[in-house]
Amino acid sequence: MSPADYEGPILEIERLSISFFTRLREIPAVMDFSCTVQPGEAMGLVGESGCGKSTVALAVMRYLGKNGRITGGSIRFKGRDLVNMSDEELRHIRGSEIAMIYQEPMASLNPAMRIGDQLAEVPMIHAGVSREEALRRAREVVSDVRLPDPDRMLRSYPHQLSGGQQQRIVIAMALMSKPSLLILDEPTTALDVTVEAAVVDLVKDLREKYGTSILFISHNLGLVMDVCDRLCVMYSGEAVETGSIKDVFDRMQHPYTQALFRSIPLPGADKNARPLISIPGNFPLPHERPNGCNFGPRCSYFEAGRCDAADVPMFAVDGHDRHETRCIRFREIDWAAPPKVARTTEKAVPGRVVLKMEDLKKYYEVAANSLFGKSGAKKVVKANETLSFEAREGETLAIVGESGCGKSTFAKVLMGLETATSGRIMLYDRDIQSTPIEKRSTDTVSGVQMVFQNPFDTLNPSMTVGRQIIRALEIFGEGKTDEDRRNRMLELLDLVKLPRQFADRMPRQLSGGQKQRVGIARAFAGGAKVVVADEPVSALDVSVQAAVTDLLMEIQRKNKTTLLFISHDLSIVRYLSDRVMVMYLGHVVELGTTDQVFSPPYHPYTEALLSAVPIADTHVQKKRIVLEGDIPSAMNPPPGCPFQTRCRWKSKVPGNLCETEVPPMRQLAEGHQIKCHLPDSELARMEPVIKIAAE
């Protein structure tokens, strides 16, 4: 039955409760959750990690595992109760009428089967069509998801595709049987921002073409605004607010929704004058939820005796489109009142040059036929190509670009984990580019430290937090006695705002944000002067991101640290950085102050990056520029300008200059450089990508 044939809601979840059962206790994961998805509608589920978003999706698919159980409520799909369906009935619905797309595309792809065979399986199993007909449908859907050369794609194995291409194949697989409901669980988290923009546009187009209803799970409010008509905000297993995008974004009626928006860097946020406001306290564990309102202990509007007296039901918000809130005080709160401004600070004045790179190159030599032990002609991977920049004391320099642009390679060379092919790296007056980490002095090692993307992978699981920081102090030669080092360790815990008793905890007892703070404490153990932060907040929830970025800035102000902030999130970059360096395929294509890089004229690649950033603000108007194709291989880069294969401005350059010559680095204004052949007259015509509309 297609969505057009069914007149009622596609999905109705009413008062759903889900628990997981362990040997010790029952753990309630979702409680009293209700949500309705109409035909052709896109519903967003948002909230922090552990709030129950994915559990709801798995309950709809009836994939809760052996210890998960639906303990109350109902899930109706086209009026049919999924909770009481037999396994046989569920098999007919899954994959044909309800399809799910996961965060990691390889979780859905068989590495040993060609793409065409995997796609053809779906209609052959669910619709009983012939192999020839199934392959014809597969080719049609591969074209629908905008993959080039569909015949080659169908012959390929998953490992021969990029991450963005794999995710498109998974979307194609989900659409093969034209499902009525498509569930997307963080489908773009692992993708670059430009690929994410293309996938989001694709989902919207396919929804229009096939009339499919969508349940879109994400922690990114900007993405939800781009994709969805309505959203449901979840906190600690409950829906706390639900309504249309416009109502919830502009007329929010729950303190948690308000707190979420105040902790994300929207245009206009200023780290000195209008810093982000992080949500105080921590997310409650499922078996430690408070009485009454789950958000009560972290809420600035909490009223003892009322908010904690009894379970809070959902209340309808009058005059809005099916807008509901789980707040007992929502009619008393002045939602238009500006937030109490957090502590403001003076803008720091950068000091002397601490780090200087001159024409840095990093090439890797690989054998063309190194697979299975065969040797062959050598090929060169040009990971970094003539990088030149300076970073000053107390300054934040952001380095942005897609995967494969050379950001992390440059960080490894700076840290001494790799040595440069040519060029110079000067740390103060020391030349360090050819000195591997094992040969660097203790002063150099302690002076340049790194905070990594994933706090889970960087801590020793068998060592207490305190011992791991003390170990760093021993390596850096800090403190004369064990007592000195223990006192310094406790001071570092104070610095990163962790309670001193955490010194005796194991990493598994800490949340993601707390682990990242331990990583930061360890990085500053030797009095680091340059800290490379490689995507330090991308694995954290938005509320924790605000606290960690605020902490990094506070430590930076105190220690006058130079912060090199590697990120693909341009919203955080705009908020945090003083200067921005944009990289593409090993080249620096633009370098300037944050204001210069975020205003026209841009490098064409910067323009596309800015247009791809999801912004959770209904007043922001964005020009949509979706890049065609993937980043070329660094082993086989295009001739001339590295960006010319994806550039929409290429036709404005006379002759075939873009295809034959690498552009020189040009000075557009003081401190603003751009690597582009575009004439000045064309650069002057560039319009802003992001505009804030008047209310």
Side-chain angles (χ1 to χ4, degrees):
M1 187 188 289
S2 73
D5 300 329
Y6 183 76
E7 293 180 1
I10 292 293
L11 182 69
E12 290 175 281
I13 304 174
E14 280 189 19
R15 311 211 60 176
L16 179 69
S17 294
I18 303 165
S19 289
F20 290 92
F21 293 84
T22 68
R23 281 177 294 180
L24 292 177
R25 60 171 75 89
E26 174 187 351
I27 298 172
V30 173
M31 301 152 304
D32 189 31
F33 177 84
S34 298
C35 151
T36 302
V37 183
Q38 298 292 344
E41 188 172 69
M43 168 69 81
L45 275 188
V46 299
E48 295 171 282
S49 303
C51 72
K53 307 185 298 289
S54 295
T55 304
V56 168
L58 292 171
V60 173
M61 296 296 288
R62 292 284 306 279
Y63 278 148
L64 285 172
K66 287 184 177 176
N67 68 332
R69 201 177 307 155
I70 293 170
T71 56
S74 64
I75 305 171
R76 287 191 298 280
F77 172 70
K78 292 184 176 179
R80 300 162 67 192
D81 188 357
L82 291 173
V83 175
N84 297 315
M85 265 189 195
S86 67
D87 290 346
E88 185 63 30
E89 288 175 300
L90 284 168
R91 264 196 296 274
H92 285 298
I93 286 180
R94 287 189 195 128
S96 59
E97 293 199 69
I98 306 176
M100 185 162 176
I101 295 168
Y102 298 90
Q103 181 172 339
E104 174 47 59
M106 282 308 293
S108 307
L109 295 174
N110 184 335
M113 281 178 74
R114 293 183 192 273
I115 296 298
D117 294 332
Q118 297 190 54
L119 290 172
E121 269 190 344
V122 179
M124 286 167 71
I125 290 169
H126 289 290
V129 303
S130 68
R131 178 175 166 77
E132 289 72 28
E133 172 62 16
L135 284 170
R136 188 195 65 74
R137 289 190 194 179
R139 193 185 186 286
E140 185 184 318
V141 176
V142 167
S143 299
D144 280 348
V145 297
R146 300 192 205 130
L147 281 168
D149 195 353
D151 293 322
R152 183 177 65 82
M153 286 290 161
L154 294 176
R155 289 193 303 270
S156 301
Y157 287 95
H159 72 270
Q160 294 172 307
L161 275 55
S162 70
Q165 289 172 336
Q166 287 173 359
Q167 193 63 286
R168 286 170 191 233
I169 289 295
V170 171
I171 292 171
M173 193 182 290
L175 291 167
M176 281 297 288
S177 56
K178 298 183 179 164
S180 303
L181 178 66
L182 187 59
I183 302 172
L184 299 108
D185 189 358
E186 301 273 13
T188 60
T189 302
L191 304 179
D192 281 311
V193 68
T194 52
V195 183
E196 178 179 79
V199 170
V200 163
D201 276 9
L202 171 69
V203 168
K204 289 193 286 188
D205 289 350
L206 294 172
R207 173 188 157 203
E208 218 166 275
K209 177 175 179 177
Y210 290 102
T212 309
S213 301
I214 287 176
L215 189 62
F216 188 85
I217 297 168
S218 182
H219 65 275
N220 187 323
L221 287 161
L223 266 188
V224 168
M225 192 185 92
D226 275 355
V227 175
C228 301
D229 311 301
R230 301 178 59 76
L231 83 156
C232 176
V233 182
M234 290 188 72
Y235 181 81
S236 190
E238 294 180 325
V240 294
E241 185 165 8
T242 184
S244 70
I245 291 287
K246 187 80 178 159
D247 283 343
V248 177
F249 275 55
D250 294 347
R251 299 188 287 274
M252 57 197 71
Q253 298 286 310
H254 194 280
Y256 176 61
T257 312
Q258 185 185 61
L260 264 187
F261 275 91
R262 286 178 176 176
S263 62
I264 57 177
L266 297 173
D270 183 302
K271 66 179 179 180
N272 298 305
R274 287 188 299 281
L276 300 179
I277 303 166
S278 60
I279 304 174
N282 291 313
F283 198 78
L285 294 171
H287 57 282
E288 294 176 355
R289 291 186 176 111
N291 293 327
C293 175
N294 283 344
F295 188 61
R298 305 174 74 188
C299 180
S300 52
Y301 305 109
F302 178 77
E303 190 178 313
R306 283 183 70 196
C307 297
D308 54 0
D311 289 345
V312 182
M314 290 290 266
F315 297 95
V317 180
D318 298 334
H320 292 190
D321 175 21
R322 291 176 285 153
H323 191 181
E324 294 182 313
T325 178
R326 199 180 293 273
C327 177
I328 211 160
R329 298 196 59 203
F330 79 99
R331 290 189 182 93
E332 306 161 25
I333 295 168
D334 180 2
W335 297 103
K340 291 176 185 169
V341 179
R343 180 171 45 88
T344 59
T345 52
E346 289 292 316
K347 186 172 180 178
V349 178
R352 62 179 175 144
V353 173
V354 171
L355 180 70
K356 187 172 185 178
M357 285 203 179
E358 293 177 356
D359 292 334
L360 181 85
K361 292 185 181 181
K362 176 60 184 174
Y363 294 173
Y364 294 96
E365 227 179 47
V366 293
N369 294 315
S370 57
L371 199 61
F372 306 120
K374 295 178 185 175
S375 61
K378 297 283 185 185
K379 283 206 168 190
V380 172
V381 176
K382 298 180 177 181
N384 287 149
E385 191 70 87
T386 58
L387 258 67
S388 297
F389 70 89
E390 293 179 347
R392 298 178 177 274
E393 187 178 74
E395 177 182 58
T396 300
L397 172 66
I399 299 138
V400 300
E402 295 168 284
S403 303
C405 73
K407 306 186 299 286
S408 295
T409 300
F410 136 76
K412 286 176 189 171
V413 172
L414 177 58
M415 297 300 297
L417 301 171
E418 304 270 6
T419 52
T421 303
S422 65
R424 297 177 77 202
I425 305 176
M426 302 296 293
L427 181 66
Y428 294 109
D429 53 355
R430 294 195 295 276
D431 200 333
I432 62 169
Q433 82 281 349
S434 301
T435 314
I437 194 163
E438 63 270 17
K439 292 184 179 174
R440 289 186 177 182
S441 67
T442 304
D443 277 356
T444 304
V445 173
S446 63
V448 184
Q449 281 293 298
M450 195 158 180
V451 178
F452 295 90
Q453 176 174 354
N454 197 337
F456 309 93
D457 294 342
T458 54
L459 298 178
N460 187 329
S462 59
M463 211 183 263
T464 64
V465 164
R467 180 67 201 128
Q468 299 198 49
I469 297 172
I470 288 170
R471 178 88 182 105
L473 292 168
E474 289 169 352
I475 291 167
F476 297 148
E478 296 283 322
K480 293 179 181 175
T481 65
D482 288 348
E483 188 62 29
D484 285 348
R485 283 187 282 273
R486 178 159 180 83
N487 288 335
R488 176 68 183 138
M489 177 269 291
L490 294 172
E491 287 170 9
L492 284 164
L493 288 179
D494 294 342
L495 183 72
V496 297
K497 296 185 169 63
L498 282 177
R500 289 190 167 198
Q501 58 266 36
F502 274 38
D504 300 318
R505 289 197 182 182
M506 304 300 282
R508 67 174 181 274
Q509 297 173 291
L510 274 57
S511 69
Q514 289 166 342
K515 285 178 187 167
Q516 194 60 291
R517 286 165 188 255
V518 175
I520 293 168
R522 204 170 50 177
F524 282 91
K529 291 299 172 197
V530 177
V531 170
V532 181
D534 189 359
E535 301 272 14
V537 294
S538 64
L540 306 176
D541 283 313
V542 286
S543 58
V544 185
Q545 276 184 15
V548 171
T549 50
D550 185 50
L551 171 69
L552 275 170
M553 290 185 295
E554 192 174 317
I555 296 173
Q556 181 185 38
R557 282 189 286 265
K558 197 177 287 184
N559 295 9
K560 294 191 174 170
T561 316
T562 302
L563 188 63
L564 301 182
F565 191 82
I566 297 172
S567 182
H568 68 273
D569 184 341
L570 288 173
S571 298
I572 290 261
V573 163
R574 185 176 200 161
Y575 170 70
L576 194 67
S577 61
D578 302 305
R579 287 194 303 136
V580 181
M581 183 166 90
V582 183
M583 290 185 69
Y584 184 82
L585 206 61
H587 292 255
V588 176
V589 295
E590 187 160 6
L591 177 64
T593 66
T594 306
D595 287 341
Q596 286 170 336
V597 171
F598 277 77
S599 309
Y602 316 99
H603 185 279
Y605 177 57
T606 309
E607 180 191 46
L609 272 185
L610 290 173
S611 89
V613 180
I615 299 172
D617 191 334
T618 57
H619 303 109
V620 166
Q621 296 172 346
K622 262 192 321 177
K623 185 185 287 186
R624 195 64 152 172
I625 303 158
V626 174
L627 291 179
E628 296 297 324
D630 296 310
I631 297 185
S633 164
M635 197 185 293
N636 188 24
C641 172
F643 187 59
Q644 53 105 346
T645 56
R646 302 168 82 196
C647 182
R648 74 189 192 103
W649 290 85
K650 186 169 142 184
S651 61
K652 307 290 185 185
V653 177
N656 60 349
L657 202 58
C658 295
E659 295 169 18
T660 54
E661 288 184 33
V662 176
M665 195 59 119
R666 294 157 59 187
Q667 194 92 2
L668 293 186
E670 189 180 348
H672 190 195
Q673 299 173 309
I674 186 172
K675 189 179 271 192
C676 186
H677 285 307
L678 269 178
D680 290 344
S681 57
E682 292 296 336
L683 287 169
R685 287 176 51 208
M686 277 195 176
E687 296 175 351
V689 172
I690 298 167
K691 290 181 184 173
I692 301 175
E695 298 218 21

